[in-house]
Amino acid sequence: MKKFNTSKMLLLAILILAVTACHRKDRPGTEKNKITYDQAAIFPNYEKVTLNTYQISETKLDLVAAQKIITESLAYAGAADKFNLKEPVRENGMLWYKNPSDPSAVLNINLENGDISLNTGMKAYAGNESTRDLLTKDSASTMALTHIRKLGLLGSSPNDYVVSHVGGLNVGVHDEKGNTSVYKKFTTVRLDRKFGDIPVEGHSRIVIQMAEKGRLTGLTKHWASFKAEPVSATAIVATDALKAAIEQHILSENTGATSILVKKITLVYYEQGHGLIEPAIRAECETRYPTSKTDSAERVYPYDIIEPLLKEPRQTYSFMHDRFKGPKTRNDDSKDQKAIPRGQDEQRRDTSRKL
């Protein structure tokens, strides 16, 4: 009898293990083999490419230098009288200027890296009509580059750019009869940075906004000067290790996906916006998720990730979740002395009334 029971128990255990193994194989988010690669998703031979890191070489601006840049930009845009330049608001290393008569106007400059944002305002374009004589795609790019060069926005890297987008700003108006009209207000042209044939992903960009006949009405300049420093071959992650890291990070950020297709892999430089640019790989993916717990129909979502090529990167990348976590906060009953105590407005109070 004992032998029979033992045999039954052993057989039952084997069946449970088999069922569990099958169930785990089909469960989304647990197996590496749910990642597949498109034929076009080929890892570039980056180990044979001379790569650099780039460190910002801009000197910090003082108030006089910043005012000079602002004054010249406003004069070029024909907006010298639209902002109060005598009383800027200084906050977190930036100067902010106001237009008392048009709250839609924007002007600020970053004293740390020279970033500028200018919008002369929407007040003159608020009517229910499109702006006349807006430039077309080719002529818009040409005019934008003319503005950029005359203002000297490209600095010491006059050829390290690509025109990445030509678009515009439209305004939709919905009237009381239920009709919607769309009015074209501005043309916009965006330039992105590149070093050689390698694009820079992240902070660097120049955006030019134009109205009638290409008249400048706004600009965004995130285009500091950088100094290149060669990267040694020993500092670069090997291809096999890089692929494993990318797959690990893709899976960790898409635990609920039923499948992930890597569609494109690109060698890039990554710039977070703190004065440093590093070589990296960008993987563009297509992820599939069930619509809900009760609906197994799949929905497709784009997803991409930037993976550093340096063994010891100095920037923060999206998969580094721990770096984004704030300090632990101590609740009212906690005795953890390392946690930060709550502020007075967050602490529990005795709101009961004494009678």
Side-chain angles (χ1 to χ4, degrees):
M1 187 70 177
K2 264 187 176 181
K3 289 183 179 180
F4 178 74
N5 287 338
T6 303
S7 300
K8 285 180 65 177
M9 290 176 64
L10 182 60
L11 180 60
L12 182 61
I14 293 171
L15 287 172
I16 291 173
L17 287 172
V19 171
T20 303
C22 292
H23 180 63
R24 285 180 179 174
K25 187 174 182 180
D26 294 334
R27 190 170 60 192
T30 60
E31 293 295 333
K32 190 176 180 180
N33 62 8
K34 74 176 180 179
I35 297 180
T36 57
Y37 289 80
D38 188 87
Q39 290 183 349
I42 301 172
F43 278 84
N45 191 11
Y46 62 84
E47 295 181 75
K48 301 295 184 181
V49 178
T50 301
L51 298 171
N52 301 307
T53 59
Y54 294 85
Q55 188 79 39
I56 193 169
S57 59
E58 294 275 347
T59 55
K60 294 183 180 180
L61 299 173
D62 58 21
L63 185 59
V64 174
Q67 291 279 30
K68 182 176 183 296
I69 294 172
I70 288 296
T71 301
E72 291 175 353
S73 300
L74 289 176
Y76 182 85
D81 59 342
K82 291 192 174 185
F83 292 89
N84 179 5
L85 301 184
K86 295 180 179 180
E87 299 177 352
V89 176
R90 189 164 186 164
E91 184 178 57
N92 297 327
M94 296 185 66
L95 297 178
W96 298 78
Y97 300 85
K98 297 179 181 179
N99 181 336
S101 63
D102 187 353
S104 68
V106 175
L107 176 59
N108 60 66
I109 185 167
N110 189 318
L111 300 177
E112 300 290 326
N113 56 21
D115 286 355
I116 302 171
S117 292
L118 166 64
N119 189 320
T120 58
M122 286 284 296
K123 189 174 181 179
Y125 300 91
N128 291 345
E129 58 184 0
S130 293
T131 303
R132 295 182 179 180
D133 300 322
L134 289 176
L135 298 183
T136 58
K137 185 173 182 178
D138 293 337
S139 57
S141 298
T142 301
M143 181 60 74
L145 287 169
T146 299
H147 293 319
I148 288 168
R149 293 191 174 108
K150 286 185 176 180
L151 287 167
L153 300 183
L154 292 172
S156 59
S157 53
N159 300 312
D160 293 341
Y161 73 87
V162 60
V163 177
S164 59
H165 180 71
V166 179
L169 175 64
N170 300 336
V171 174
V173 177
H174 191 70
D175 62 25
E176 63 277 3
K177 295 181 180 179
N179 299 318
T180 300
S181 301
V182 177
Y183 303 106
K184 297 180 179 180
K185 297 296 182 178
F186 303 110
T187 303
T188 57
V189 178
R190 171 170 171 148
L191 270 63
D192 286 333
R193 194 192 290 269
K194 66 182 181 67
F195 291 130
D197 295 326
I198 303 176
V200 178
E201 298 283 347
H203 185 72
S204 284
R205 65 186 180 275
I206 297 176
V207 181
I208 296 295
Q209 177 180 283
M210 297 172 289
E212 64 282 351
K213 298 180 180 179
R215 188 174 71 82
L216 181 67
T217 60
L219 68 89
T220 297
K221 177 239 176 187
H222 295 172
W223 205 271
S225 295
F226 285 87
K227 180 182 178 181
E229 298 179 5
V231 177
S232 66
T234 57
I236 298 293
V237 179
T239 304
D240 290 345
L242 177 79
K243 182 178 180 182
I246 289 176
E247 291 182 352
Q248 176 190 345
H249 296 144
I250 289 175
L251 289 171
S252 70
E253 295 189 343
N254 294 277
T255 56
T258 56
S259 65
I260 301 167
L261 174 64
V262 181
K263 301 191 71 175
K264 187 177 180 181
I265 298 174
T266 312
L267 175 62
V268 300
Y269 282 107
Y270 175 61
E271 180 189 6
Q272 192 178 10
H274 301 299
L276 184 67
I277 300 177
E278 296 176 333
I281 288 291
R282 179 185 180 188
E284 299 173 59
C285 308
E286 181 181 275
T287 62
R288 292 179 178 272
Y289 283 81
T291 301
S292 66
K293 291 182 179 180
T294 58
D295 186 352
S296 60
E298 293 183 338
R299 293 190 178 184
V300 179
Y301 300 95
Y303 168 83
D304 68 86
I305 187 171
I306 303 288
E307 187 77 24
L309 285 182
L310 298 180
K311 293 178 180 177
E312 297 182 3
R314 295 163 59 192
Q315 299 186 101
T316 300
Y317 294 77
S318 63
F319 60 84
M320 299 175 178
H321 305 293
D322 290 341
R323 296 192 186 185
F324 296 106
K325 291 181 180 178
K328 185 166 60 173
T329 303
R330 187 193 316 158
N331 62 36
D332 298 326
D333 302 320
S334 173
K335 295 180 181 180
D336 185 354
Q337 297 303 314
K338 293 182 180 180
I340 297 175
R342 294 173 182 260
Q344 290 184 357
D345 59 331
E346 297 179 304
Q347 294 174 359
R348 287 200 296 265
R349 292 179 174 84
D350 184 4
T351 58
S352 60
R353 295 182 181 180
K354 293 182 180 180
L355 300 176

